[in-house]
Amino acid sequence: MSFKENTDIVFEHYEKKIYDQKQLLEISRALNSTLDYKYLIDAILNICLAQLQTLHAAMYLEPEIDLGLFKLEPQSIKGFELSPEEQNYEIKIDSPLIHYFEEKPKAITMDQILQMDTLKSIPDITYLRKMGAEILVPLNAKGKVNGLLVLGDKMTSEEFLEDEKEFMTTLANLAGIAVDNARLYELATVDMMTGLKIHHYFQTKLKEEMDRCRKKGTKLCLLFTDVDHFKSFNDTYGHQAGDVVLIEVAKQLINAALRHHIPARYGGEEFCLVMPGASEEEAMTKGEEIRKAVESMIVKNPNDGTDLKVTLSVGVSSFRTTDRNNKDLIERADKALYQAKHSGRNRTICYKD
């Protein structure tokens, strides 16, 4: 190889390094620009798919703090076709695989793992191989492994280069910190029992959306919901059964909410949904969707396993330019809910003067 050819290779190598560093800087900015946990996971996986030119990516994370295991969440799977049993597979934090990554926190291919006597035969590796994993990358934050990136093979079927593994290791470190920050923010803003946003967060975001309506002339609707006869339900079946009902009703609200909606717990069994950009007609349709979902669901009594059913009343109000503060919009939604309760329950009513 001539001196010029050798020089060209060196220059090409450093140009690639500079490009990768610029990419990582942009990725770091993007990851740290949001504290939305689900959006962040989606963004990390999409970056992995693009950077490594693979069609398969997944992320194992702790479902709850100090639970002692990592699991896949529905939004943390891209491309892998997994059965329900496979999706529920758990990787324990005290697994030999996680211990290995704590000592050597960097990307490693499945071929490299299969050359290690301490790892190649453990159940986690057997499962990940069956899943189609080709490269594993630990997420790190505050000196500990807080997740695991699982990536499939390249679309080109080429092997993963050392530069690519180094890039993914740095990316996973950035991702680990971003995920940790988002999880802490979620803990501070989410009601742990229902998964809905807490009252203070709801009030803050509602004020922001109302301010946006005043400045830009956009629409905004608010849904208030209440479980019918909930006090009697608690007295009859007990508070444990009541808690299960609240959790299941909250799931219906969360599942029905669009990405820009804000499902929150106003207090007790009263839940609400802030709907930026929605007309009254759209809000009524959404209210009916949630009401019907609750009406058709069956809840298992935790005490004896019997089937329980509940219904939901929904009140809807829309933003008016005369609204002085949150209270005005909330009062109208509450009045519509009151009317739904006193006109037979299990219905959706929009506030009218």
Side-chain angles (χ1 to χ4, degrees):
M1 185 183 294
S2 68
F3 175 78
K4 183 179 182 305
E5 288 174 329
N6 189 53
T7 304
D8 287 345
I9 290 172
V10 171
F11 273 127
E12 186 178 332
H13 174 75
Y14 279 107
E15 282 177 353
K16 176 71 166 55
K17 285 278 188 184
I18 292 168
Y19 174 78
D20 285 349
Q21 290 301 315
K22 286 181 178 178
Q23 284 286 93
L24 285 168
L25 184 60
E26 289 303 313
I27 289 167
S28 178
R29 286 174 180 164
L31 294 182
N32 286 293
S33 67
T34 180
L35 288 169
D36 186 318
Y37 189 67
K38 292 180 180 178
Y39 175 79
L40 183 64
I41 291 171
D42 192 61
I44 293 167
L45 292 176
N46 285 332
I47 290 167
C48 292
L49 294 174
Q51 291 296 326
L52 288 190
Q53 296 182 320
T54 177
L55 296 173
H56 307 87
M59 195 184 313
Y60 280 86
L61 296 164
E62 273 192 281
E64 298 174 27
I65 286 182
D66 292 332
L67 197 60
L69 55 86
F70 298 119
K71 285 186 71 174
L72 290 171
E73 297 180 27
Q75 73 272 15
S76 67
I77 308 168
K78 299 272 187 182
F80 287 113
E81 294 183 5
L82 305 175
S83 68
E85 287 181 1
E86 289 171 328
Q87 286 187 33
N88 290 326
Y89 185 84
E90 300 172 351
I91 298 176
K92 301 288 193 296
I93 285 180
D94 60 1
S95 159
L97 180 63
I98 302 303
H99 283 316
Y100 172 84
F101 281 132
E102 285 174 348
E103 293 178 7
K104 298 179 181 178
K106 59 182 182 180
I108 186 169
T109 63
M110 193 59 73
D111 286 341
Q112 289 174 306
I113 290 175
L114 294 177
Q115 295 172 23
M116 301 179 191
D117 291 336
T118 54
L119 292 181
K120 66 181 183 181
S121 299
I122 66 171
D124 291 339
I125 295 303
T126 303
Y127 163 74
L128 291 168
R129 285 183 67 194
K130 182 182 175 185
M131 175 179 168
E134 288 295 328
I135 184 168
L136 307 179
V137 197
L139 271 64
N140 278 276
K142 299 175 183 175
K144 60 175 281 189
V145 175
N146 68 333
L148 185 66
L149 272 171
V150 180
L151 306 168
D153 56 3
K154 290 185 183 179
M155 289 184 283
T156 58
S157 299
E158 296 174 354
E159 291 185 0
F160 291 100
L161 303 174
E162 285 303 317
D163 281 353
E164 290 174 322
K165 288 191 281 185
E166 187 179 317
F167 183 93
M168 287 306 302
T169 298
T170 307
L171 170 60
N173 287 333
L174 296 172
I177 294 167
V179 166
D180 201 48
N181 291 337
R183 172 58 63 84
L184 290 173
Y185 180 73
E186 188 176 66
L187 286 173
T189 60
V190 172
D191 175 63
M192 286 299 101
M193 186 180 85
T194 62
L196 298 168
K197 292 296 184 180
I198 60 174
H199 184 93
H200 176 72
Y201 183 93
F202 157 73
Q203 292 283 6
T204 302
K205 296 303 288 186
L206 183 62
K207 182 180 184 303
E208 288 177 7
E209 293 301 335
M210 290 178 73
D211 288 343
R212 184 175 288 111
C213 287
R214 293 186 188 97
K215 290 175 183 176
K216 299 187 176 181
T218 53
K219 296 175 181 177
L220 172 67
C221 279
L222 175 64
L223 263 64
F224 255 43
T225 73
D226 188 81
V227 179
D228 296 327
H229 300 296
F230 188 68
K231 186 179 183 303
S232 298
F233 183 94
N234 265 342
D235 292 341
T236 304
Y237 301 106
H239 288 281
Q240 280 190 325
D243 287 348
V244 173
V245 163
L246 294 182
I247 291 167
E248 294 303 316
V249 171
K251 282 181 185 176
Q252 304 304 327
L253 203 70
I254 293 167
N255 291 340
L258 301 181
R259 190 180 174 277
H260 61 285
H261 292 167
I262 304 158
R265 187 175 187 179
Y266 189 77
E269 73 274 18
E270 279 194 331
F271 300 159
C272 51
L273 183 67
V274 182
M275 299 178 62
S279 64
E280 284 187 356
E281 184 180 356
E282 289 169 330
M284 284 290 292
T285 300
K286 184 62 68 177
E288 276 294 280
E289 177 188 338
I290 296 166
R291 184 193 65 76
K292 289 176 181 176
V294 170
E295 185 180 30
S296 62
M297 75 182 192
I298 296 173
V299 178
K300 290 292 181 182
N301 188 333
N303 301 310
D304 58 16
T306 55
D307 292 345
L308 301 174
K309 292 181 72 67
V310 294
T311 58
L312 197 71
S313 294
V314 185
V316 177
S317 66
S318 59
F319 172 79
R320 296 177 178 180
T321 54
T322 55
D323 287 340
R324 296 159 297 171
N325 49 42
N326 291 10
K327 185 181 176 182
D328 293 340
L329 183 57
I330 291 170
E331 276 188 352
R332 291 199 302 277
D334 198 40
K335 286 178 179 178
L337 177 60
Y338 180 86
Q339 188 179 351
K341 287 279 192 184
H342 287 265
S343 58
R345 293 183 172 82
N346 191 26
R347 62 193 62 202
T348 302
I349 288 182
C350 185
Y351 178 85
K352 300 294 180 186
D353 288 325

